[in-house]
Amino acid sequence: MKRIFLTCLLAAAGWLAVMPVLAQQAPLSETVAYGPDSQRQPGVPKGEILKYTWTSKVFPNTIREYYVYVPAQYTSQSPAALMVFQDGHTYVKEDGDFRVPIVFDNLIHQKAMPVTIGLFINPGHHGNELPKDPWRADNRSFEYDTLTSQYTRLLLEELIPELAKTYRLADSPAMRAIGGISSGGICAFTAAWQRPDLFHKVLSHVGSFTNIKGGYVYPSLIRKSAKRNIKVFLQDGSGDLDNQHGNWWLSNLQMDAALKFSQYDYKFVGGTGGHNGKQGGAILPQSLRWLWADVVSK
């Protein structure tokens, strides 16, 4: 009886020891409220949003819209940081889940991130007319989920050079970030994985690291490949998709474990939400503060 009692005491002590860790890892609710950094604040200069249409040669016979955010603090005297977003339409909306222009305005004003040009790119669509719903652009999955250099070439050979005709951009990869939601999230990781000399910072919301077009291989590649000089922020919810392509939550947990194993500079925030931008949008200011901390702290 004494041995059984002692065993129970030790087990209880062990459970108490891990309880703080479990509390730290407890998933956040997707109903987290927006903080002040996601809302317009008096006295904060407002950046400008410009909208364009682009016909690509890298993805022949496709057309897409893209948006450019120019902060009020930008001048050609100093090179600006650059942050690219896939599915730009959802990130650029001021009344959407992410509200990036508002968050950028507030964080740049606070000097919590550098003066940053935002490039918000919609996926391509075949033909001469834009789709009524950008989510339904017929080239989206091919561009975002395919693990080739083609989308990165769109950035390198077409859109970033076009942007550089008007704005002075920093060359250092530490001053460049890329992000996206779902398939746009894995696309962001692919761009940085392939070209860490171009993008140092990755932001993925409910990223599709599943077998849509082979993306499930990344946890293994991260473990077996030479470490890239990239900084990665991942967000996902335990209620994410589970279908024939895989389980999004489990795939993001695998990414978390692989990045930890290979000692990357990364952060994973898990929640209870589904395949949407609610939690990612609510924590966007904190995400960007963390991503850019290595730049603004110098």
Side-chain angles (χ1 to χ4, degrees), residues 1-14:
M1 290 293 293
K2 289 182 179 179
R3 181 178 296 177
I4 295 173
F5 179 70
L6 180 60
T7 301
C8 291
L9 280 178
L10 290 172

Side-chain angles (χ1 to χ4, degrees), residues 261-277:
F261 175 82
S262 295
Q263 299 182 340
Y264 273 81
D265 186 5
Y266 87 100
K267 191 176 186 69
F268 173 72
V269 175
T272 59
H275 199 69
N276 57 56

Side-chain angles (χ1 to χ4, degrees), residues 2 22 32-33 39 50 57 62 109 121 132 146 187 226 239 296:
K2 289 182 179 179
L22 292 175
V32 174
Q39 302 171 38
L50 304 167
K57 294 181 180 178
T62 63
H109 179 67
I121 309 169
K132 294 181 180 179
T146 305
C187 180
V296 298

Side-chain angles (χ1 to χ4, degrees), residues 90-107:
T90 197
Y91 283 96
V92 80
K93 289 172 61 177
E94 293 200 4
D95 59 351
D97 288 332
F98 296 102
R99 312 176 185 185
V100 171
I102 296 175
V103 177
F104 272 26
D105 284 345
N106 287 325
L107 296 192

Side-chain angles (χ1 to χ4, degrees), residues 274-288:
H275 199 69
N276 57 56
K278 293 181 180 179
Q279 185 194 16
I283 66 170
L284 181 64
Q286 300 95 299
S287 309
L288 293 175

